[in-house]
Amino acid sequence: MSILPRGGRRAAGSGVLLPGGRLLTCAHVVNSALGNRPEAADDPAPAAVRVLVLHPSGFHETTARPVVWIPPGPSCTAGAVEWSGDLAVLELAEDLPATVLPPRWQPMAEGQTVRAWHGGGHAATVADGRVTSCDGRTGYVDGMPTGVAIDHGYSGGPLWSVGDAAVVGLVAATLTPPHDPLTGVLEPYSPQHVARRSWGIPWQRIQEELVRAGGEYIIEGLGPSVPAPPDAIRRDLADILGRALPDPAHRADCARTVAQRCGAAYPQGRNLPSVDEFARLLATEKRAIPALTEILQATAPRAVTELLAVGRLSDAATLLSPREHRQLTEVLDTLPEDAAARLLSAVRAALPLTGLPSGLCGAEPAESSPHCYGTERSARIAAVVDHLEALQRDSQPVPDGTSGVPGLLRAVEFVAAVCPPQQQKELRKWSAATAGRLGVHDSALKERRADAEEWAARQNGHRQAAARVLVHLAAHSDRDGADRYRVQIWCDEGAGPRRVSGDPDRTRTAPEAAEEILGVLEPLHRAAPDSPRPLIEVLVERDALELPVDQWEWPGPAGLLPGVLGAEYPLIVNCPELVERGGERYKASWRHRWRRLDDGATVHIDRSTGAKDQVYGLLMERLDAARVSIDDVPPQARIEIVQLCLAMGIPVVLWDRTTDPSSDAVPSLAGIPPRRLPEAVRTYRARRLRQPQRFVGRPVLAWADADRRMPQLELADPTDL
C-alpha cells in the first residue's frame, strides 16, 4: 500500500490495511506526503493523502484522511537513532475490492525472520532481515548480507514475519553510516560503521499507543493482546505522572490520597515522593490507578484516558476504585431476599456467554430458593462482583472513539432492573458515575439499560409481542426450470395469526413475492413508526432452510426505490416440520429451552465439535442451552447439524450460509443478547449491501418462539431423522 506525495508518483512510504477501510502507517510518512517536515507534530486533518493499493488483480488509487494522529516524539530530529509516537490511522475514501483483506498481526520477538517492501510495491524491492533486539517499544532489524537493504521509502510498511505468516510491526527508520558534517556526503565506508540495520515499531507498542489515543476500537480483534512488561508499565506511568502532575506538592498530595484509599502504607516524612515512587505505587496496588483517575477526572481528563489505557494493557489495575467497589457491594448487600435470589439469574441474562463459577452459589439454586446465600451472603456477593470485575467488555458496539462497556456494568444494569426502587436508583447512580470515569458513552449505557428493562418486563409477564408477518413458502419450478413460489401470508399483531394473502395456488417469482410481503409489512410499520420494525418469519420445509429469502428484492416503482427484505426488516426462518419431527420427546425440551432463552447457555459448534452424533451428545449434555451458533463447518455437514438442532428443540440457531473463509458473521453476532439477534442480523445484512468487501457473510437465523401461535399448515408426516 503506497502513500504518494502531492504531485508525484514516487512513494513517500507505505502502510498496512486495517479492518473497516482504514490503513496504518507512520505519521512522518503522512507528513512527508503532504510536504510537511517529517517530525511535524500538528494533526494534518482534514488534509488527505493519495494512496495506491496494490492487489493481485491490479491496483486501486484513492485518498485517505487521518482519523488517529500520534505524532513523532520530540526526539525525532535529524540524526536521531529512535523516537516515540509516529503512528497514523487513515480512513480510505472509497471501498476496496472484496479480495483485498487486512493481514493478521503477531507480537514482535527476537529471532524472527522478517520481510519488508518499498512503498512502490515492486517485488524486486523485497528486503529480508532478522529481528536482533526487541523490548516491546523498539525492534532492531539487521538485513541479510545480500539482496536489498531497507532504506528511504520503506517507512510505514509492514514487517512481515515469515514464520508466523503475520505482520509484527512497522518499518520506522534505517540507521546509516555517518555523514560529513560540512558536505552531508557519506563518509568512506569503514568496517566499524553500521550496515543494513533498521528499526521498527512492534505490534506491542502499536497496541499501547492506539489504545492510549482512544483507538482501541480500530485494532480490536486484529491480533493477540500482549501485556506490557512491569518495567515498561512503570515507565509509562511515570511519564504520565510527570505531565499530569508537574507540581511536586500536588503530586505528593495525590499519592498520599491514593495510598490512603487503597489502604497502603506510604511515607509521611518531609521528603516529597518522586515520580518513580508514585509510579511504583500505581503499578503494585491493584486499585491505585482507578483511585487516581477519580482524583484527576475533572482536572486532567487526558491523563485519565492514558492511565486507563495503561491499566487495560497490563495486570496492574482492577476495573473499580476502592470507593466504587465498596459502594457496589454495600448496595447489593442491602437487597431484600427476593431481589438477592434473582442476582445470579440477572447476571446470566446480562452475560449469557459468560459462565459463573458454580462455587459462587453452590450448584446455582433455583429462583424459588430465596435464602441461597444464608450467612455467607455478603462474602458471596463480593465474590460475584470480583468475578465480574475481571471480565472483558461486552460484545455490543459503542460509538467510535469511546470505551467499551465492561461486563460488570451491563450486569449491574440487569440487577438494577429487578430491584426495589431505592436500590435501583442507587445502582443506576453508581453505574452512571463509574461509566463516566471509564469513558463509556452515555448512549451505550442507556442501550444496556434498555436491554435490562426489556428483560425485566418479560420476567414480570409484561412482554408486548412485536408485530410479525408469517410467510409460508413452497418452491415450484415452471416449465423452463425457473424458480417460482407459492406464498401464504399471515399477520400477527399479538392476538394470533390472521390470513391476509390472496390466492395461495398462484406462483410468484422472488421479486413478486418480495413485493407482496412488503405490501403487508409497510402498513404495519406506518401504523407504529416509533415501535420496532415488524418481524418477517419465513416458514419453510427442512430442505429450504438456506433459501436466500433475505436477499429477495423488489425493484420498486420504475426501479427507483429497491426493497431488500432482509435489509429493511428483521427476517428469521422457522421450520415447523422439524419441530413436529422431534415429536413429543423434544417438544417439552423446546419449551424448556425457550424459557431459558435469556439466561440459558449458548453452544458453539465448529469443525472440532464433530458430526451429528457428537452434536447430539453435546446438546443432551447441555439441556439448558437455548441457542446454538455454527461456524466453520462444511456445507453438507452444516445442513445436517442445523436440522438436528431444530428437531431437538433448540429455539435459536445461527449460522452462515456462505463458504467464504474470511466471513466473521457468526463470531461478530455471537455475543449479541438473544432477543436482539433478529435486528442485529438485519443490520449486518444492510451493512453488507453498503460494504460487501468487509461484511462478506450471509447469516441465517432460525427462530422458533414457543410462546406464539402458529397458523395451520399442511406438513409432511413425521419420520425419523
Side-chain angles (χ1 to χ4, degrees):
M1 183 172 288
S2 303
I3 312 294
L4 303 177
R6 288 177 172 173
R9 301 295 297 180
R10 183 174 176 81
S14 187
V16 184
L17 184 65
L18 298 176
R22 303 182 179 97
L23 68 92
L24 176 68
T25 186
C26 288
H28 80 262
V29 172
V30 178
N31 279 332
S32 297
L34 293 174
N36 301 329
R37 292 179 296 106
E39 68 274 14
D42 293 340
D43 189 339
V49 296
R50 296 162 55 222
V51 176
L52 188 66
V53 183
L54 306 171
H55 50 87
S57 57
F59 63 89
H60 185 88
E61 185 168 350
T62 182
T63 60
R65 299 178 185 277
V67 292
V68 176
W69 181 253
I70 305 173
S75 59
C76 179
T77 56
V81 176
E82 61 182 56
W83 51 83
S84 60
D86 203 8
L87 292 171
V89 177
L90 310 179
E91 191 165 73
L92 298 171
E94 302 173 14
D95 293 338
L96 299 179
T99 56
V100 183
L101 301 173
R104 69 186 190 94
W105 294 69
Q106 285 286 342
M108 183 183 288
E110 291 183 13
Q112 289 171 329
T113 299
V114 293
R115 181 165 290 175
W117 293 263
H118 186 273
H122 297 292
T125 66
V126 63
D128 289 331
R130 181 176 177 273
V131 178
T132 56
S133 172
C134 179
D135 63 358
R137 304 286 298 172
T138 301
Y140 282 98
V141 176
D142 283 1
M144 300 300 180
T146 60
V148 177
I150 294 175
D151 203 345
H152 179 75
Y154 285 75
S155 293
L159 284 167
W160 175 263
S161 171
V162 178
D164 296 305
V167 181
V168 297
L170 299 183
V171 177
T174 184
L175 280 67
T176 59
H179 294 69
D180 185 285
L182 297 178
T183 64
V185 176
L186 286 175
E187 293 183 356
Y189 178 74
S190 163
Q192 301 300 318
H193 289 166
V194 64
R196 293 182 177 243
R197 171 163 289 181
S198 58
W199 67 271
I201 305 174
W203 166 239
Q204 298 93 306
R205 178 173 140 196
I206 291 170
Q207 288 184 101
E208 181 182 340
E209 296 269 15
L210 290 181
V211 170
R212 183 179 298 170
E216 182 179 16
Y217 65 98
I218 292 173
I219 58 171
E220 186 172 317
L222 194 59
S225 178
V226 184
D231 289 344
I233 291 296
R234 286 194 293 271
R235 183 173 64 244
D236 288 344
L237 291 171
D239 289 344
I240 297 169
L241 292 173
R243 293 192 303 270
L245 299 169
D247 178 49
H250 181 41
R251 186 170 62 241
D253 289 340
C254 289
R256 293 191 179 100
T257 302
V258 168
Q260 182 182 19
R261 292 185 181 183
C262 294
Y266 206 73
Q268 300 294 323
R270 286 188 170 185
N271 293 334
L272 298 178
S274 67
V275 169
D276 289 336
E277 288 174 324
F278 196 176
R280 192 174 300 111
L281 171 67
L282 296 179
T284 54
E285 289 292 333
K286 293 291 188 180
R287 299 196 185 276
I289 290 178
L292 180 58
T293 60
E294 282 184 324
I295 298 170
L296 300 180
Q297 185 176 355
T299 58
R302 181 178 178 83
V304 169
T305 301
E306 294 177 339
L307 288 167
L308 292 174
V310 172
R312 285 194 295 269
L313 288 172
S314 70
D315 296 326
T318 57
L319 179 71
L320 304 181
S321 70
R323 182 183 61 84
E324 290 167 342
H325 186 272
R326 183 181 64 255
Q327 287 179 342
L328 178 58
T329 53
E330 286 177 352
V331 174
L332 294 178
D333 204 33
T334 65
L335 294 179
E337 290 295 342
D338 58 342
R342 304 178 73 180
L343 174 63
L344 292 186
S345 177
V347 170
R348 286 193 297 266
L351 305 168
L353 301 184
T354 302
L356 279 171
S358 58
L360 290 183
C361 195
E364 300 213 311
E367 300 297 324
S368 60
S369 303
H371 300 286
C372 69
Y373 293 96
T375 57
E376 299 179 355
R377 180 174 127 161
S378 296
R380 293 190 183 279
I381 285 177
V384 171
V385 171
D386 291 345
H387 174 76
L388 295 176
E389 189 179 7
L391 299 179
Q392 299 295 319
R393 52 166 286 182
D394 71 8
S395 58
Q396 289 181 246
V398 297
D400 283 356
T402 64
S403 298
V405 179
L408 174 62
L409 288 190
R410 180 177 175 85
V412 167
E413 287 295 336
F414 274 68
V415 173
V418 294
C419 285
Q422 180 59 36
Q423 284 88 354
Q424 183 181 90
K425 179 180 179 181
E426 292 175 0
L427 286 175
R428 287 180 171 174
K429 180 180 178 181
W430 177 93
S431 184
T434 305
R437 179 183 67 80
L438 295 173
V440 174
H441 198 277
D442 186 53
S443 64
L445 186 64
K446 287 181 179 178
E447 188 174 77
R448 277 63 174 181
R449 185 167 297 173
D451 291 344
E453 290 173 343
E454 182 182 344
W455 169 77
R458 288 194 299 271
Q459 307 313 299
N460 296 327
H462 298 151
R463 179 167 71 99
Q464 183 177 1
R468 62 174 179 163
V469 170
L470 298 105
V471 181
H472 183 219
L473 295 176
H476 172 78
S477 297
D478 62 17
R479 294 178 181 177
D480 299 327
D483 290 334
R484 299 182 69 86
Y485 304 90
R486 290 188 173 91
V487 180
Q488 298 179 73
I489 304 178
W490 295 261
C491 181
D492 183 1
E493 298 167 86
R498 56 183 177 85
R499 183 76 168 270
V500 295
S501 65
D503 182 5
D505 295 326
R506 182 173 66 88
T507 61
R508 291 89 158 162
T509 64
E512 289 170 344
E515 179 182 5
E516 187 172 351
I517 295 168
L518 288 171
V520 176
L521 286 160
E522 288 169 356
L524 288 176
H525 184 46
R526 286 198 305 269
D530 295 329
S531 299
R533 286 179 168 247
L535 177 74
I536 306 173
E537 184 169 341
V538 182
L539 311 176
V540 295
E541 296 179 356
R542 59 186 294 190
D543 59 353
L545 280 165
E546 294 199 347
L547 188 68
V549 185
D550 55 281
Q551 296 176 240
W552 286 6
E553 178 179 354
W554 177 49
L560 294 177
L561 190 60
V564 180
L565 289 182
E568 290 216 14
Y569 294 93
L571 186 149
I572 59 175
V573 297
N574 194 352
C575 186
E577 173 192 355
L578 287 173
V579 176
E580 292 300 321
R581 284 177 181 270
E584 295 303 321
R585 182 164 60 132
Y586 288 114
K587 280 188 178 178
S589 174
W590 169 45
R591 296 186 183 98
H592 169 74
R593 293 180 189 273
W594 177 259
R595 287 194 296 270
R596 297 300 305 271
L597 180 64
D598 295 304
D599 56 7
T602 297
V603 173
H604 299 282
I605 295 173
D606 56 24
R607 290 175 185 264
S608 66
T609 307
K612 280 178 56 177
D613 289 348
Q614 287 75 29
V615 173
Y616 165 80
L618 179 60
L619 296 181
M620 292 306 299
E621 179 184 347
R622 308 289 293 277
L623 291 175
D624 283 344
R627 172 177 166 184
V628 167
S629 62
I630 304 170
D631 194 30
D632 190 29
V633 174
Q636 187 56 46
R638 182 186 70 222
I639 292 171
E640 293 180 352
I641 291 171
V642 167
Q643 294 184 10
L644 176 70
C645 291
L646 296 175
M648 290 185 66
I650 301 295
V652 177
V653 183
L654 174 69
W655 72 96
D656 188 349
R657 67 171 179 266
T658 186
T659 57
D660 191 326
S662 67
S663 172
D664 67 344
V666 172
S668 68
L669 294 166
I672 302 295
R675 296 184 192 271
R676 295 177 64 92
L677 265 176
E679 175 59 22
V681 172
R682 184 203 68 79
T683 302
Y684 185 98
R685 290 165 175 159
R687 286 172 174 166
R688 179 184 169 103
L689 292 174
R690 185 172 65 89
Q691 293 180 284
Q693 81 288 350
R694 179 181 175 191
F695 299 94
V696 300
R698 294 289 188 188
V700 184
L701 181 63
W703 188 279
D705 190 330
D707 293 335
R708 304 190 75 167
R709 285 192 290 140
M710 292 288 295
Q712 291 296 318
L713 302 174
E714 294 182 5
L715 301 175
D717 292 334
T719 61
D720 292 336
L721 284 172

